[in-house]
Structure formats: C-alpha cells, structure tokens
Amino acid sequence: MKGAWLGTKAKAYIPPFLLEENMKEEGLVEYFEHFLENNTIFKKKLVLQSHYAPNTITHRDEQINAVAKILAPTLRGEQTSNLFIYGKTGTGKTLVVKHTTEKLLHIAQQRDIKVKVVYVNCKLKRVADTEYRLLAQLARSFGKEIPATGLPTDEVYNVFYEVIDSTRCINILVLDEIDQLMERAGNDILYNLTRINSELKESRISLVGISNDLSFTDKLDPRVKSSLSEEELVFPPYNALQIQDILRRRSDLAFHENVLEPGLIEKCSAYAAREHGDARRALELLRVAGEIAERECQQQVLIAHLDKAEQKIENDRVYHIVRTYPKQSQVILYAILCLHLKKRELFFTGEIYELYEYLCKKLNFRPLTQRRVSDVLSELDMLGLIRARIISKGRYGRMREISLSIGETILPLIKKTLEESLGL
DNA sequence: GTCAATTCACATGAAAGAGACCACGGTCTAGTG
DNA sequence: CTAGACCGTGGTCTCTTTCATGTGAATTGACGA
C-alpha cells in the first residue's frame, strides 16, 4: 500500500503520481527527520503563496495612487465615486485595493475617523455568489448573523440596510470578481447596491468593483454601468521584466541564498509573461518548483524543476476537477475519454450523447437530456478539459466538434479515477 | 451554372419543476413543581 | 407551566427538464443561359 498513509485524510489526499518512489514505510521516520534537518531550500515559503500581502507593491505605483485619490475623500467623511477596476488575473488588482484600503484605514484609525472597509470575494462558492448570500455575507461582516437560507431576500435587504445605517460612517464595499456575481445573480443586485445610498440616512456607501473580465461592463445594464463605473481603472498585465523583478524580490525573502539555479527566475517569468503577465501564476510556479526540489532532497531549485512544476500544477488542477465533478458529468467525461482512446481526434455532440446514454444504461443511471449534456460540454470546455468548437456540417446539422485536451501523461490516471468513482 | 429555399442536428434561451436545505411560528407532549 | 419535539408553511438554491427559437452551411430544386 504505497502511500496509503498519506491518503487517509480525504482533504489532504495526494494523487498517486506525486508519491515518492523511494519512500517506503520503514524509511518514514528517517525521511521526516531528514526533511527537518535539511531545510535548505525555503526560508519563508509563505511569501510565495497567493494570499501573501507584501509590504511594498512593485510596478503598481500609478494604480495605487489612482485608487488612493479616488478613495481619499472618505477620510473627510465624504462619499466617494464608485470605482470599477478591471484587468486580467494576476495583475495585482486585489492586492492594490487591499493595500490601499489598509493604509487608508490606518490613517482613519489614527485620526479617529469613522471609515469601514468590507471586502467580499463574489466568486466564493456558497459564500457570496448569489444575491441572498452576498447580502448575508455583507451583513455578517457588519456583525449581523443571517441564516444561510430560509429568509426572504427582501428581509435580508432590510437587515442589511439597517445594519449599514447603524454604522453611521462611510463604508467602502469591495466586491472582488464581481463578474461572477453578475453571471449568477444578474443585474438586479448591482442595481440595488448602487442605489443603496438613497435608502440610507446616517451612513454612506462607496462601491469598489473588481473584475477579471474585460468585457464585463458591456454586459451590464446601462443604469448600473453609469453608476458603478463613475471611476474606472484598468490594470495592464505585467511584462516579463516586471515579473522578473517581482519574482526576484519575493524569492529573496522566500528562499535561502544561492538556492535558485541561475536563469531560473528569467525562465519562470518568461512562462508567466506567456500566460498574459500573470504574476500569481509565476509565484505559484516558483513555489511548486521549490517544493519539488525539496521533496527530491535537492540543494538547489533547477530549471528542470520548473518544467516539472508546470506539469504538476496542470495535472493537479485536472485531477482535482475530475475527482470532485458530479457523477453525471463524470460519465460524460468518461464517454469523451473512451472516444479519444479509440484513437479518434475529433468527435461530435451526437456521438458523445449516444455513448453517454449507453454508459448510463450500463451504470443504471437515468440519462440527462441532450439539453443538459450540451451545457455540461460547454462547462468542460470552460474548465479546459476539452476543446469544443461549433461547426456546421450544412445539411448534416450544426454541432460541437470536440477533442480532449487532457495531457497524455495524466490520462491513464484520470481514466482509472473515473472508473473507480463510477464503479466501472 | 446560379441562386434562393430547405434541411438537419444541434446550440441557446427562458421558464418552471423537483428536491434539498433552512427558518419560523404554532401545536403537541412529557416532565417538573 | 415550560422546554423541547414535531409539523406545516414559505423561503433560497442547485440541478434539471421542457418548450421554443436560432444557426449556418450542405443540399435541393427551380430557373435561365
């Protein structure tokens, strides 16, 4: 049972492909001791983690100043314009907003000015991804407990208005990944939030919306758009040199001296720049490369580790999605997998549905309708597990042309996982 | 040969249903003084 | 008399189905050269 001891706790489950070949039960104690003694790679790994907030933010001075200028009037007790920030992932939007609001709060506290900042990530599943949940979450952050469900939304609005008004101060609501909220809950919630000040007597609210989706404002209701985007800021992606600089600063804190192979940072930033200047991804890559080097008991993080890290991150992602996917969707993915393994490059919606129906019959599942399967297929496409393209074959109809985009290295494991999960 | 109409096989959108989960208020019941 | 169990009602949320409409190029068939 190689590695079973690592896999007993469901949440900390480590996929089999990560397990060390050289780690047998008898060597366990030695391994742990060796691990502790040989802490030669990381000085402070935390620095490379995505939620780490550095003291100084590099290459974002312009944006910090802009946010500060817009939010500064709160210090005089004035309501500010609503601010809308957009830029691709890993361009430092959240970091800049959190950094600036923290400093603002600091000054406010020193001068005894009543300002409150509430940060909510609207993407968080089952936390703030619907109208009700967002309001409940906001009310909660003002100290009012609201049940997870059961109350009418109107009532939650009332509670929220009351609790906000009772603060008697300027409140800055930061809604991160606001596009996700819009997608799920529609324009109404944003419209209501932008109009909230007319309902309040004692307090004021300023909204800061953050979105990864550059075309988000196009989808907004014009009424919401004009009031939410009173001020707009675009965060450009970092270029390779900037990412290099960021990586260098962070790695100085995170790693011991001379641990990184020369050229590693450059390679890492080149990877990230290729991925549209995503600094978060670059840091993750560096951290995982370090972890791999550590696990291999190496003294240095090598470029080869970087390549492994890239592969590992992708494999982990795919593996996690597949394992946590609902059963029905797993059957659909399995059908696609089977078609792919029949060494077919491309296949179409109809073929997949046919095989899916067959598999359902075999598994004693009630098959979903084609309509639903169509949605699942586009979900799979969005998750990057398949590539789907809508094509028209003229007289022979319009359909998705689908190919699998799971790496060949992880394919056998995915197949096995699906078979185990489905009991095939 | 040309061109408009037709056709196919889904894609996509909207609305609504099913079932899980939860809060709340009213009613019932058993235990206590 | 009271605390706790139980139940019905009304709410949200997610997943799903049903129904309706949209799509785009190959095919078809009428028409004229």
Side-chain angles (χ1 to χ4, degrees):
Chain A
M1 276 291 280
K2 184 171 48 175
W5 56 278
L6 280 171
T8 46
K9 203 173 176 187
K11 275 185 183 161
Y13 182 73
I14 296 178
F17 58 84
L18 290 179
L19 296 175
E20 300 300 321
E21 284 306 319
N22 57 354
M23 204 143 60
K24 297 274 188 292
E25 283 278 350
E26 61 268 24
L28 207 53
V29 177
E30 285 93 302
Y31 176 80
F32 283 143
E33 279 171 357
H34 182 79
F35 184 86
L36 279 175
E37 280 163 20
N38 289 281
N39 183 19
T40 52
I41 301 259
F42 287 113
K43 191 158 60 182
K44 194 177 173 190
K45 189 157 58 172
L46 177 83
V47 175
L48 296 177
Q49 261 145 12
S50 58
H51 53 261
Y52 175 79
N55 289 332
T56 52
I57 298 173
T58 39
H59 305 296
R60 281 291 174 255
D61 297 338
E62 208 181 297
Q63 285 77 13
I64 292 174
N65 287 339
V67 174
K69 272 181 198 161
I70 292 163
L71 297 184
T74 50
L75 291 172
R76 288 201 205 117
E78 294 163 16
Q79 180 194 337
T80 68
S81 303
N82 291 330
L83 168 62
F84 187 66
I85 297 175
Y86 50 102
K88 295 200 167 153
T89 39
T91 49
K93 303 179 296 293
T94 308
L95 197 60
V96 163
V97 171
K98 279 189 170 172
H99 179 83
T100 316
T101 50
E102 242 165 58
K103 292 277 184 278
L104 185 125
L105 272 180
H106 185 68
I107 300 282
Q109 263 166 13
Q110 278 180 347
R111 308 274 172 94
D112 210 18
I113 304 166
K114 290 185 86 179
V115 177
K116 192 166 165 59
V117 178
V118 172
Y119 172 87
V120 179
N121 188 334
C122 305
K123 193 187 175 181
L124 287 178
K125 285 249 168 185
R126 300 177 194 282
V127 176
D129 56 346
T130 65
E131 184 174 21
Y132 181 99
R133 284 175 182 160
L134 175 69
L135 290 170
Q137 184 62 22
L138 287 172
R140 251 175 243 136
S141 49
F142 283 98
K144 191 88 186 174
E145 271 313 310
I146 296 212
T149 159
L151 296 183
T153 310
D154 291 358
E155 200 166 326
V156 185
Y157 262 113
N158 290 336
V159 173
F160 177 60
Y161 288 153
E162 258 171 48
V163 72
I164 290 258
D165 223 9
S166 68
T167 60
R168 294 164 182 255
C169 66
I170 303 284
N171 297 286
I172 301 174
L173 297 189
V174 183
L175 304 177
D176 203 350
E177 313 226 26
I178 196 170
D179 44 324
Q180 302 282 329
L181 176 70
M182 229 284 285
E183 212 162 86
R184 292 176 54 92
N187 272 298
D188 287 1
I189 169 94
L190 295 180
Y191 180 68
N192 290 337
L193 279 177
T194 54
R195 300 202 29 146
I196 194 168
N197 281 317
S198 56
E199 306 275 334
L200 299 173
K201 294 184 191 79
E202 311 279 348
S203 304
R204 283 282 161 261
I205 273 197
S206 299
L207 291 173
V208 177
I210 305 177
S211 164
N212 292 328
D213 182 359
L214 301 176
S215 62
F216 170 64
T217 46
D218 301 341
K219 298 175 202 156
L220 280 176
D221 189 304
R223 297 170 304 171
V224 179
K225 189 178 173 181
S226 63
S227 94
L228 182 64
S229 325
E230 287 167 345
E231 300 278 354
E232 274 187 0
L233 267 182
V234 182
F235 278 50
Y238 296 108
N239 61 36
L241 285 176
Q242 289 171 333
I243 293 184
Q244 246 180 63
D245 190 39
I246 293 168
L247 286 180
R248 208 158 265 133
R249 280 164 197 263
R250 294 269 191 119
S251 62
D252 283 349
L253 295 171
F255 293 103
H256 288 295
E257 263 175 64
N258 301 324
V259 162
L260 303 183
E261 182 185 359
L264 187 89
I265 299 247
E266 287 76 4
K267 180 102 190 262
C268 191
S269 58
Y271 268 147
R274 194 186 58 196
E275 305 256 337
H276 323 293
D278 185 344
R280 194 185 306 161
R281 181 160 162 76
L283 289 165
E284 188 189 11
L285 206 57
L286 199 58
R287 176 175 56 82
V288 175
E291 284 170 357
I292 291 175
E294 191 174 50
R295 236 172 262 167
E296 289 180 1
C297 300
Q298 301 266 342
Q299 306 294 316
Q300 256 202 331
V301 186
L302 307 172
I303 289 176
H305 292 137
L306 209 59
D307 296 328
K308 280 189 192 171
E310 201 185 25
Q311 178 105 79
K312 177 184 178 305
I313 290 171
E314 175 59 14
N315 285 357
D316 280 3
R317 190 183 71 85
V318 171
Y319 186 75
H320 179 77
I321 294 171
V322 171
R323 243 169 46 87
T324 54
Y325 226 38
K327 285 272 184 288
Q328 288 282 9
S329 310
Q330 284 186 348
V331 182
I332 296 169
L333 186 61
Y334 188 74
I336 296 171
L337 207 77
C338 290
L339 286 170
H340 174 84
L341 290 175
K342 271 207 267 160
K343 70 181 175 46
R344 294 271 309 279
E345 277 296 302
L346 299 169
F347 20 87
F348 307 101
T349 316
E351 296 176 82
I352 293 170
Y353 189 71
E354 218 170 276
L355 183 53
Y356 160 76
E357 268 189 316
Y358 169 76
L359 285 170
C360 279
K361 204 187 266 177
K362 222 170 144 186
L363 289 164
N364 243 343
F365 286 3
R366 198 169 59 89
L368 301 176
T369 55
Q370 195 153 103
R371 174 72 189 85
R372 178 68 191 132
V373 171
S374 179
D375 279 348
V376 173
L377 287 175
S378 58
E379 272 169 39
L380 287 169
D381 186 25
M382 285 229 294
L383 289 167
L385 300 188
I386 61 173
R387 267 186 303 270
R389 195 165 66 96
I390 291 156
I391 57 157
S392 175
K393 290 190 160 236
R395 191 83 203 263
Y396 305 107
R398 225 166 78 99
M399 62 205 80
R400 282 196 175 86
E401 183 188 72
I402 291 164
S403 63
L404 196 68
S405 63
I406 298 176
E408 291 293 330
T409 50
I410 196 184
L411 216 53
L413 178 75
I414 295 295
K415 183 162 182 272
K416 198 167 148 239
T417 310
L418 285 175
E419 281 166 359
E420 273 169 19
S421 164
L422 298 171
L424 274 159

